[in-house]
Amino acid sequence: MSETADVVVVGAGLSGLECASAIVAAGVGDVLVVETGGARTGTTAPTPLAWVSTAPPHYVRTSRERLVGGRSLDWHGVVLRLEEWALADPAWPAPARSALSSLYEQVEGELADWAGGTLSRDRQIHGLGRVLPAGQAVPQAVRPDGDGGWRAYTPLDRCTSWMASGERGGQPRVRTGCQALTLVTRAGRVSGVRVQDRGTGDTETITTTTLVLAAGTLDNTRLVAQLAGADRPPAFTGVNDHLVQGFVVRLPPAALGWPQPADAFEYLACGNIRSNLFARTRAVPENTQEVLLDVWAMGEQLRSEHNAVSFPDPGRVPWYGLVTPGLSEPDRAVLAGQRRELTKLWTRLAGRQATALRLPDFLDTPFAFDRALARVMSEPLAVPVGYCWPLGTVEHESGTLPLGGAHVGETGELSAAAGGYVVGPATFPRSGAANPSLTTLALARWTAARVLTG
Ligand SMILES: Cc1cc2nc3c(=O)[nH]c(=O)nc-3n(C[C@H](O)[C@H](O)[C@H](O)COP(=O)(O)OP(=O)(O)OC[C@H]3O[C@@H](n4cnc5c(N)ncnc54)[C@H](O)[C@@H]3O)c2cc1C
């Protein structure tokens, strides 16, 4: 007898668990979340990565172990609202845009409760005014982890122990080591999902009439693409990631106006270059006389035909996918503006006599953050090392299945299969400069409300 559920959610990550718990909290008893990863480290066979890129290192997917919780186990908890200038784009369906302002308030309130009352992490002993005049503390949904560190919000807590005030009890069922292979439809409606057990290799169909795709942008895109059938494999333009470049440098604390090293994390919105500037300090290992300063700009990449996802060889399910990354003229303008701002900021901090800041070529020879961090440790004090994050490695990939677009309606409903829905950053019509997760959590509620009304 095959399994059935009132609602099946594919993917137990940030968007999937948030959506599933909102549906359960509204009183739906039988919600099943299928997750290809395991419940704990080392418990499930790895899911093969079926993605390649035409321009490595951009969109070279690292094979992180998949676990229940998805990237909500790793994220840094930075919660920023999408900027007014990005939301004003008519690409955002008007109902979603107007729902977002109250959803932001609701989610921020709950995250603050979860975090112990506030989203500002009270650890800033000294400000970063010398780096970012008018900078503000970065809002983060984090709380102490019990080991002297901090951890970010995960909706997994909602499925185990934590409830927002007034929320009903109850949990979705989570089936681990279970990879969704393809949606099953009958007469244009969802009738189930074909899954494979990662341990035994057995496949079966789970029967449902309501299915929410929450497998991350690229895997959601693959599952939607497969609906079209192998004789008509569609291509998706508009995949985008944030444009991120910056520098790291070791400094004496006095350069920041501080008597001693301290942790600080601030940001400044720069709407003119569709970016946020961030500055963060950390301790230098085994050195109490220096502080490591990391300054970066995170900017919007527009959805454009320069960035595509395609499926060149649709044979065996799941289809293997190809990402073709690129930069449009507006993207290049954002990068040039960021370079100007970062250079200005470094020159103001270090003086005109200081070592000049060099930033790598973003598209052709990106020099990743980890390499810059390793190099700065062998450079003298006050020598900055520039870096940029290759596209697709910022983990903010989005935009292939925008709300109100060809594949997905205004509330996340799939056009090709009634009863099917999509959540996650894939549905953003425009990404703005803000980190995506606050909007992801808010839109998970938006689509959950639509699932509940059918
Ligand atoms: C180190 C790091 C730091 C970050 N910091 C921030 C931050 O501070 N602020 C911010 O806004 N964002 C941040 N992000 C980005 C944020 O984590 C992602 O945007 C967010 O998790 C995406 O949510 P999602 O639900 O779409 O994907 P995920 O959270 O990745 O969830 C997708 C889930 O689906 C599962 N899955 C995939 N395919 C299948 C399948 N076929 N069948 C079954 N299950 C499947 C995956 O295993 C995964 O568990 C960060 C990311 C990383 C990695």
Side-chain angles (χ1 to χ4, degrees):
M1 184 75 179
S2 85
E3 188 160 9
T4 64
D6 291 340
V7 179
V8 174
V9 176
V10 175
L14 189 79
S15 60
L17 290 178
E18 190 75 9
C19 187
S21 43
I23 294 169
V24 170
V28 178
D30 189 17
V31 177
L32 172 67
V33 184
V34 295
E35 166 57 49
T36 192
R40 286 180 309 282
T41 301
T43 51
T44 308
T47 307
L49 282 173
W51 289 95
V52 291
S53 162
T54 57
H58 301 284
Y59 284 98
V60 170
R61 313 291 300 163
T62 48
S63 58
R64 85 157 50 78
E65 186 180 12
R66 308 252 199 157
L67 289 173
V68 170
R71 284 173 284 178
S72 78
L73 303 178
D74 299 327
W75 74 306
H76 300 140
V78 173
V79 278
L80 291 172
R81 292 185 184 199
L82 204 60
E83 302 77 13
E84 293 291 331
W85 50 261
L87 266 179
D89 191 311
W92 275 96
R97 182 192 305 128
S98 63
L100 265 178
S101 62
S102 59
L103 286 167
Y104 277 148
E105 244 170 70
Q106 184 191 341
V107 174
E108 283 167 344
E110 290 178 17
L111 291 177
D113 284 349
W114 175 89
T118 173
L119 293 176
S120 64
R121 190 161 144 183
D122 188 23
R123 56 175 197 159
Q124 212 155 304
I125 306 171
H126 316 291
L128 278 165
R130 287 212 184 163
V131 187
L132 291 180
Q136 315 174 40
V138 175
Q140 281 180 284
V142 293
R143 68 184 190 192
D145 65 4
D147 277 330
W150 299 79
R151 75 164 175 97
Y153 167 78
T154 166
L156 201 48
D157 290 355
R158 276 200 132 83
C159 303
T160 50
S161 53
W162 184 80
M163 273 183 282
S165 77
E167 202 165 87
R168 253 182 237 236
Q171 295 165 12
R173 287 184 285 141
V174 180
R175 188 161 153 188
T176 58
C178 179
Q179 183 185 17
L181 297 176
T182 187
L183 276 62
V184 183
T185 59
R186 194 176 309 132
R189 280 205 63 88
V190 165
S191 60
V193 56
R194 189 100 193 127
V195 298
Q196 180 167 46
D197 185 300
R198 301 283 330 136
T200 61
D202 294 345
T203 59
E204 66 170 294
T205 297
I206 300 174
T207 304
T208 187
T209 52
T210 307
L211 186 117
V212 181
L213 298 181
T217 292
L218 294 181
D219 288 293
N220 280 344
T221 308
R222 182 211 321 275
L223 288 161
V224 172
Q226 288 174 178
L227 274 174
D231 47 339
R232 286 180 293 134
F236 296 77
T237 54
V239 63
N240 58 91
D241 197 3
H242 275 122
L243 303 169
V244 182
Q245 53 186 338
F247 63 88
V248 278
V249 61
R250 286 168 28 244
L251 293 171
L256 302 174
W258 295 354
Q260 68 209 43
D263 279 1
F265 190 18
E266 294 189 358
Y267 84 109
L268 181 65
C270 289
N272 59 329
I273 53 165
R274 305 207 317 276
S275 298
N276 287 319
L277 293 174
F278 290 87
R280 182 171 208 158
T281 56
R282 302 161 205 245
V284 175
E286 293 160 33
N287 187 332
T288 55
Q289 304 307 311
E290 297 174 8
V291 67
L292 186 70
L293 173 67
D294 180 11
V295 181
W296 69 97
M298 178 178 287
E300 181 185 46
Q301 186 182 28
L302 286 180
R303 300 184 64 251
S304 79
E305 71 285 358
H306 293 267
N307 293 275
V309 169
S310 58
F311 301 90
D313 185 20
R316 237 170 49 131
V317 165
W319 292 357
Y320 114 91
L322 181 71
V323 184
T324 306
L327 294 173
S328 64
E329 274 314 308
D331 298 342
R332 291 182 194 278
V334 165
L335 289 168
Q338 291 180 342
R339 278 194 291 272
R340 272 195 314 276
E341 286 301 322
L342 290 165
T343 304
K344 212 159 72 187
L345 196 147
W346 169 244
T347 311
R348 191 180 53 225
L349 176 68
R352 294 205 173 275
Q353 308 306 317
T355 306
L357 174 64
R358 286 184 215 294
L359 291 163
D361 181 276
F362 188 90
L363 198 58
D364 294 334
T365 51
F367 188 73
F369 172 77
D370 297 9
R371 294 173 68 192
L373 195 57
R375 181 177 294 176
V376 79
M377 300 316 284
S378 56
E379 293 286 355
L381 269 186
V383 173
V385 180
Y387 66 82
C388 47
W389 287 88
L391 291 169
T393 68
V394 183
E395 310 260 359
H396 293 179
E397 71 287 352
S398 44
T400 44
L401 303 166
L403 297 178
H407 302 278
V408 171
E410 294 185 343
T411 41
E413 67 279 17
L414 271 178
S415 312
Y421 301 85
V422 185
V423 292
T427 66
F428 293 4
R430 192 169 162 175
S431 301
N435 310 51
S437 295
L438 181 65
T439 306
T440 300
L441 294 171
L443 289 178
R445 310 292 183 88
W446 170 242
T447 299
R450 170 62 201 267
V451 170
L452 289 163
T453 54

